């Protein structure tokens, strides 16, 4: 008989033996009808031979199709605590509880599996336990699961500012008709971030102004209603949302039935600026509304510890920029120019990321949600500087600049009070190098106009070629090209290191902005760094 379970379909054959006034029930479980038929004769022969065990025994460690038990409580552990205990959260799984969300079509917010990582490379689930091995696979950290319900599964470890995520692939491959895949989030900040991401991909009940993608002509109002219903220009229908199939996308997939959009497909996303957009592919519609941006937690509740005695001494924000070596080989890299920003705190911390909006992000008293400080400790001694766990590098001051390992780090110059005029272009590209079948180019033009106004144009496209070998040397079997172009305008203002763009629809975009110093310490106006992109004055 076939049994439908939450994890899939299992085919079973039941048999019973009576001996000494007791009955023993035996169950042959298989992932398919064909497998059940293949082993049924041998199974019956085993029972008839009397060699079968007198009591039912589960596979070592249990399976996802077995009896579900309650898990004992284990103490939460974050990355800072794990590191303090001698662990490495970048290459080892933190002993903690992870909640696993199956990669399947839908929009559910409830995890299907709880997974506890225990010391000594062990794991435990409500269905049984086993072991997990961690090994380096190039730049990735690969996981191999042995024994118990995850036996034979694999996946990867990902560590970030909010905690760890484990990908689980090929779960139940030998027991189910189709193996299962999961994304497992460390409980606490990492799982909370995933749930917030799910929320931002769930269409919000609201009215959305629609326009044709080709030409921008107004096309009525789309109403997203409660209970998976919608209405467009008076015609009602239903829609379904899917963000669970691929939880790494920053949008959800939509399918419409009935009404004006019957059988149409589309997507939904909410940007960090508060722009909610329903994009319909056929017909080509973009339906948008603007709300206050949803806050994304960036910091933990703990304060960073004081740097050790003997560290510190420097102060200020500096940047080293250089031509992208990958660009010369035809790869995307960092878009032509690479930038290394370092913001030093005199007490002994240095912020080594490029801020997104302002220098306030370099407040080194803060910690990440995973408990680790947002900054690295640095020391300067005997003409050498050591940052975090990096090896010591040569160091000296040259005028207003710093020289680290032979590279010049110039002071960042704010653009507040500087008159910007005319167009600036930022160009980037992806792929296109040897061995790549994907290439793309993008251009962003920001035009500063009199009276604090701006206009902006974006254009670009991606081309993909399919070959029989998956490499450029193979025979071409197909491909596609996708292009996009948009224009917008509004007003701008600059305060300290923050450029604020206020668009005509009311939403705002804030970008960390700075220039490089000329010989007089004023900002060079031929090259600007805006929101992590390099803007230059176009050739005339």
């Amino acid at each position: 008989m076939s049994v439908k379970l939450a994890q899939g379909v299992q085919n079973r054959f039941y048999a019973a033996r009576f001996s000494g006034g007791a009955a023993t029930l035996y169950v042959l479980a298989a992932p398919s009808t064909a497998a059940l038929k293949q082993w049924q004769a041998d199974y019956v022969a085993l029972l008839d031979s009397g060699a079968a065990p007198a009591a039912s025994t589960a596979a070592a460690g249990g399976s996802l199709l077995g009896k579900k038990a309650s898990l004992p409580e284990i103490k939460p552990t974050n990355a800072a605590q794990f590191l303090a205990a001698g662990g490495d959260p970048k290459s080892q799984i933190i002993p903690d509880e992870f909640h696993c969300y199956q990669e399947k079509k839908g929009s559910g917010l409830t995890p299907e599996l709880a997974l506890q990582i225990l010391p000594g490379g062990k794991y435990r689930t409500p269905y049984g336990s086993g072991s997990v091995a961690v090994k380096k696979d190039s730049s990735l950290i690969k996981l191999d699961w042995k024994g118990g319900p995850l036996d034979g599964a694999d996946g990867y470890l990902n560590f970030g500012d909010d905690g760890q995520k484990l990908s689980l692939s090929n779960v139940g491959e030998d027991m189910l008709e189709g193996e299962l895949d999961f994304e497992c989030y460390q409980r606490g900040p990492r799982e909370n971030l995933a749930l917030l991401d799910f929320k931002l991909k769930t269409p919000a009940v609201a009215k959305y102004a629609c326009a044709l993608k080709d030409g921008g002509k107004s096309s009525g109002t789309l109403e997203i209603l409660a209970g998976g219903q919608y209405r467009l220009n008076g015609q009602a229908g239903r829609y379904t949302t899917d963000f669970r199939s691929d939880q790494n996308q920053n949008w959800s997939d939509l399918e419409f039935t009935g009404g004006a959009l019957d059988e149409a497909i589309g997507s939904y996303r909410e940007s960090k600026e508060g722009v909610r957009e329903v994009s319909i592919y056929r017909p080509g519609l973009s339906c948008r509304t603007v709300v206050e941006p949803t806050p994304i937690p960036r910091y933990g509740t703990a304060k960073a510890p004081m740097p050790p005695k003997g560290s510190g001494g420097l102060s200020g924000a500096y940047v080293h920029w250089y031509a992208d070596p990958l660009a010369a080989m035809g790869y995307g890299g960092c878009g032509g120019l690479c930038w290394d920003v370092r913001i030093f705190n005199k007490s002994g911390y240095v912020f080594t990321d490029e801020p997104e909006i302002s220098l306030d992000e370099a407040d080194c008293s803060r910690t990440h949600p995973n408990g680790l400080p947002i900054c690295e400790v640095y020391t300067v001694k005997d003409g050498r500087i050591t940052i975090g766990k990096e090896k010591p590098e040569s160091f000296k001051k040259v005028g207003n600049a710093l020289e680290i390992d032979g590279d010049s780090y110039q002071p960042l110059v704010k653009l507040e009070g500087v008159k910007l005029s005319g167009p600036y272009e930022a160009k980037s590209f992806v792929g296109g190098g040897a061995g790549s079948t994907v290439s793309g180019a993008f251009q962003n033009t920001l035009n500063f106009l009199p009276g604090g106004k701006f206009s902006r144009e974006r254009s670009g496209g991606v081309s993909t070629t399919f070959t029989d070998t998956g490499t450029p040397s193979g025979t071409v079997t197909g491909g596609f090209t996708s292009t996009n172009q948009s224009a917008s305008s509004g007003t701008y203002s600059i305060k300290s290191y923050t450029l604020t763009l206020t668009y005509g629809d009311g939403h705002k975009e804030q970008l960390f902005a700075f220039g490089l110093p000329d010989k007089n310490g004023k900002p060079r106006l031929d090259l600007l760094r805006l929101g992590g992109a390099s803007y230059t004055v176009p050739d005339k």
Side-chain angles (χ1 to χ4, degrees), residues 182-525:
F182 296 87
E183 295 286 0
C184 302
Y185 305 97
Q186 185 182 3
R187 64 177 169 182
R190 185 61 188 90
E191 183 183 19
N192 293 341
L193 181 65
L195 291 172
L196 178 58
D197 183 56
F198 292 165
K199 175 186 174 183
L200 296 179
K201 293 186 285 193
T202 301
V205 174
K207 294 182 178 181
Y208 298 74
C210 297
L212 293 173
K213 292 182 180 179
D214 185 9
K217 183 180 178 181
S218 176
S219 189
T221 299
L222 171 67
E223 296 177 76
I224 295 295
L225 308 172
Q229 301 182 74
Y230 82 91
R231 184 164 49 233
L232 176 61
N233 297 332
Q235 298 185 54
R238 301 190 65 83
Y239 71 92
T240 59
T241 306
D242 174 28
F243 51 69
R244 289 283 295 270
S245 294
D246 187 345
Q247 296 168 37
N248 295 316
Q249 294 179 157
N250 63 356
W251 69 88
S252 59
D253 294 316
L254 306 179
E255 293 183 2
F256 295 86
T257 55
L261 299 177
D262 187 39
E263 297 187 354
I265 59 174
S267 64
Y268 175 85
R269 67 184 295 263
E270 179 179 331
S271 73
K272 63 181 180 180
E273 292 82 25
V275 179
R276 293 173 173 171
E277 180 178 18
V278 178
S279 182
I280 313 296
Y281 304 142
R282 293 181 184 177
L285 290 179
S286 175
C287 305
R288 294 158 52 114
T289 188
V290 177
V291 297
E292 284 293 319
T294 300
I296 307 296
R298 297 190 60 177
Y299 305 109
T301 56
K303 290 291 185 181
M306 288 297 295
K309 189 176 180 180
S311 57
L314 302 176
S315 180
Y318 299 85
V319 63
H320 168 60
W321 66 281
Y322 55 96
D324 183 1
L326 292 178
M329 296 185 289
Y331 296 95
C334 43
L337 291 178
C338 299
W339 301 72
D340 181 15
V341 175
R342 300 187 182 185
I343 304 171
F344 291 94
N345 181 308
K346 203 159 192 172
S347 67
Y349 273 126
V350 56
F351 188 77
T352 56
D353 293 323
E354 184 173 353
E356 295 181 10
I357 296 176
S358 75
L359 279 183
D360 292 342
E361 296 166 42
D363 179 355
C364 292
S365 67
R366 292 175 171 146
T367 58
H368 293 299
N370 63 21
L372 294 173
I374 68 169
C375 299
E376 299 280 358
V377 172
Y378 75 93
T379 57
V380 179
K381 185 178 181 181
D382 299 330
R384 303 184 74 79
I385 186 170
T386 303
I387 296 178
K389 294 183 178 180
E390 297 178 4
K391 65 179 182 179
E393 298 175 311
S394 62
F395 172 84
K396 64 180 178 180
K397 293 184 178 181
V398 182
N400 292 327
L402 305 179
E403 186 177 293
I404 301 176
D405 198 28
D407 296 326
S408 177
Y409 284 75
Q410 300 290 323
L412 274 62
V413 183
K414 64 181 68 174
L415 300 177
E416 183 178 5
V418 176
K419 183 179 179 181
L420 299 177
S421 179
Y424 285 80
E425 290 180 349
K427 298 180 180 180
S428 61
F429 53 93
V430 295
S436 174
T437 59
V438 179
S439 62
F442 306 90
Q443 180 169 306
N444 193 333
T445 301
L446 185 57
N447 193 11
F448 294 98
L449 305 171
K453 297 181 179 180
F454 77 91
S455 63
R456 194 173 198 176
E457 294 181 358
R458 293 184 175 98
S459 62
V462 176
S463 178
T464 300
T465 301
F466 302 117
T467 68
D468 57 355
T469 62
T471 66
S473 60
T475 301
V476 175
T477 58
F480 72 88
T481 298
S482 175
T483 60
N484 185 49
Q485 187 169 350
S486 64
S488 54
S489 61
T491 60
Y492 77 92
S493 62
I494 302 176
K495 185 175 182 180
S496 188
Y497 289 93
T498 302
L499 167 65
T500 300
L501 303 175
T502 303
Y503 291 84
D505 62 4
H507 86 272
K508 294 183 179 182
E509 182 179 9
Q510 291 188 302
L511 308 173
F512 187 66
F514 65 90
L516 297 171
D518 62 16
K519 61 181 181 180
N520 298 315
K522 302 293 184 181
R524 288 173 43 185
L525 298 183

Side-chain angles (χ1 to χ4, degrees), residues 129-191:
S129 57
S131 63
V132 56
V134 179
K135 63 180 180 180
K136 195 165 185 178
D137 181 12
S138 186
S139 61
L140 304 174
I141 304 299
K142 188 174 182 181
L143 309 176
D144 289 317
W145 305 81
K146 302 294 183 184
L150 304 183
D151 185 51
D154 53 38
Y156 293 91
L157 164 66
N158 178 273
F159 173 66
D161 293 341
D162 297 272
Q164 290 186 334
K165 181 182 77 168
L166 312 178
S167 63
L168 280 178
S169 303
N170 306 315
V171 177
E173 187 174 26
D174 297 329
M175 290 295 295
L176 305 173
E177 278 194 348
E179 67 271 12
L180 309 179
D181 297 330
F182 296 87
E183 295 286 0
C184 302
Y185 305 97
Q186 185 182 3
R187 64 177 169 182
R190 185 61 188 90
E191 183 183 19

